[in-house]
Amino acid sequence: MTDKKPLISISIPVLNEEGNIENLYKRLDALGRKMQDRCDLEFVFSDNHSSDNTWQMLSELAKQDPRIKAIRFSKNFGFQRSILANYMHTSGDAVMQIDADLQDPPELLETFFEQWQNGNQVVYGIRKKRPENFFLHSFRKLGYWAIDRISEHPIPRDVGDFRLIDRKVIQALSQIKTANPYLRGMIAGLGFKQSGVPYDRDARVAGESKFNVYRLLRLGLTAVFNHSTVPLRAASFLGGIILATSMVGALYYVSLKLLYPEIPQGLASIHILVLFGIGLNSFLLGIIGEYLLRIYLVLRAEPVAIVAQSLNIKSSELKL
């Protein structure tokens, strides 16, 4: 049995977070000093092509502190792909994912670390409350409920990307081919021993949230199409219902015509049925198209992200 301290990587995706970098580093540095007897830390940033001074600030910090590693993408590849690419460039025995806005307290690593040492390979934070307006909060709650209900495997509710995962989980993630990752669902679907830690989410101190209703909706649709076949089955079920209804309607009109030959032929009913059929077919083809698009993107095999620059990472260590 070895006495070597485990290395914990803290993964931080950033996009235009110049207002938070300084405070974030102070808290990470304090956390490293507090836990230095239990583990070593490294701080791995992935800059999703920020347009402010985020990369310059990371460059200055990396010169002062070798624990800081960073990669900068050639363009904005999206939040989920940014996290996945960051995971691939960590070296720790376990990796904790946090956001740069400090809404998720990095100090909770102590609790996550204890849970990990107790045998949990995935430890995630469960948001008891979060500072946001009633509409957005209700929209999130409804989304979490819907995704969990129709997913092929349980996805924890009120859980974001604030988590700690074992190296084995990252190795499993790297084997999954997907163009649009939804990491909460992917990690939940991998199995492993998992546990949750309730916490209160803080308000953002600086900068603006990157997630509006539109982006939340896109992320929710990604979760649905990546982790559920319910839409496809619902399309078949709905098509069957419409077909049965059409047959009943046809029998009804034939019977009515035989009983009452003087009834005039109705033009409006034909138009309504035709338009309804066209609309239904378009809707069902759209669902099928979403799944076909995902197959196409996987076959196209684009990289998760393209690294344009790096800090404290050798070129031979770059995975993208």
Side-chain angles (χ1 to χ4, degrees):
M1 184 175 180
T2 179
D3 294 329
K4 183 180 179 182
K5 291 186 295 184
L7 174 64
I8 305 297
S9 303
I10 299 184
S11 166
I12 313 116
V14 292
L15 175 63
N16 296 333
E17 295 287 359
E18 62 180 4
N20 290 309
I21 293 296
E22 185 176 348
N23 288 333
L24 172 64
Y25 175 70
K26 288 179 180 178
R27 290 176 65 173
L28 291 176
D29 184 49
L31 179 64
R33 291 195 300 270
K34 188 176 182 180
M35 298 193 67
Q36 61 184 352
D37 294 332
R38 304 168 66 186
C39 64
D40 294 321
L41 297 182
E42 68 170 5
F43 315 125
V44 185
F45 293 82
S46 56
D47 182 6
N48 216 350
H49 205 71
S50 297
S51 57
D52 62 2
N53 292 320
T54 296
W55 183 253
Q56 288 76 8
M57 296 178 71
L58 290 176
S59 300
E60 291 300 319
L61 289 173
K63 293 176 183 177
Q64 305 168 19
D65 190 340
R67 295 175 299 177
I68 292 181
K69 299 180 180 180
I71 52 177
R72 176 175 168 84
F73 302 141
S74 60
K75 66 174 185 177
N76 188 329
F77 283 90
F79 183 61
Q80 294 290 296
R81 292 171 76 170
S82 172
I83 298 174
L84 185 57
N86 209 352
Y87 281 166
M88 294 178 182
H89 288 87
T90 58
S91 305
D93 301 292
V95 178
M96 186 175 84
Q97 151 73 28
I98 64 171
D99 293 339
D101 56 18
L102 292 173
Q103 289 186 276
D104 301 321
E107 294 79 10
L108 205 59
L109 171 63
E110 292 185 86
T111 305
F112 284 11
F113 182 78
E114 291 172 0
Q115 294 275 347
W116 175 64
Q117 287 199 313
N118 289 334
N120 292 287
Q121 291 157 308
V122 178
V123 185
Y124 49 80
I126 303 174
R127 300 161 178 168
K128 293 191 294 183
K129 65 178 183 179
R130 56 190 304 159
E132 61 185 5
N133 63 65
F134 175 78
F135 171 75
L136 194 57
H137 178 73
S138 300
F139 187 77
R140 286 181 190 272
K141 294 281 286 187
L142 178 62
Y144 283 134
W145 175 84
I147 292 168
D148 181 42
R149 291 291 294 177
I150 68 175
S151 176
E152 296 176 357
H153 45 75
I155 298 178
R157 300 184 190 181
D158 298 318
V159 171
D161 292 300
F162 183 38
R163 67 175 76 87
L164 181 143
I165 57 177
D166 189 85
R167 173 58 53 182
K168 291 180 180 178
V169 180
I170 294 177
Q171 291 173 347
L173 284 174
S174 65
Q175 297 175 18
I176 300 175
K177 294 182 179 180
T178 176
N180 296 294
Y182 179 69
L183 289 169
R184 303 171 206 178
M186 291 168 65
I187 292 173
L190 288 173
F192 295 104
K193 188 177 180 182
Q194 308 193 12
S195 66
V197 177
Y199 75 104
D200 293 326
R201 203 167 200 231
D202 298 325
R204 172 182 275 270
V205 177
E208 297 180 353
S209 173
K210 312 304 185 295
F211 277 89
N212 51 28
V213 173
Y214 171 71
R215 290 186 176 180
L216 285 174
L217 185 60
R218 283 189 59 186
L219 184 62
L221 290 174
T222 298
V224 169
F225 290 121
N226 281 16
H227 299 279
S228 176
T229 57
V230 169
L232 277 177
R233 291 173 178 169
S236 300
F237 182 70
L238 185 58
I241 291 177
I242 296 300
L243 179 61
T245 303
S246 301
M247 293 177 64
V248 172
L251 291 173
Y252 170 75
Y253 279 112
V254 169
S255 301
L256 201 63
K257 189 66 176 177
L258 291 174
L259 292 173
Y260 304 99
E262 68 278 5
I263 294 179
Q265 295 181 351
L267 186 63
S269 59
I270 294 176
H271 285 176
I272 292 171
L273 289 172
V274 169
L275 290 175
F276 177 75
I278 293 173
L280 178 63
N281 285 330
S282 299
F283 174 72
L284 300 182
L285 286 173
I287 292 177
I288 296 171
E290 285 289 339
Y291 286 95
L292 290 176
L293 173 62
R294 280 157 174 75
I295 295 172
Y296 164 70
L297 291 175
V298 169
L299 293 176
R300 198 164 68 180
E302 289 185 349
V304 174
I306 299 173
V307 175
Q309 297 173 267
S310 63
L311 301 171
N312 289 337
I313 300 178
K314 299 178 182 178
S315 57
S316 59
E317 297 175 339
L318 292 174
K319 306 293 177 64
L320 303 170

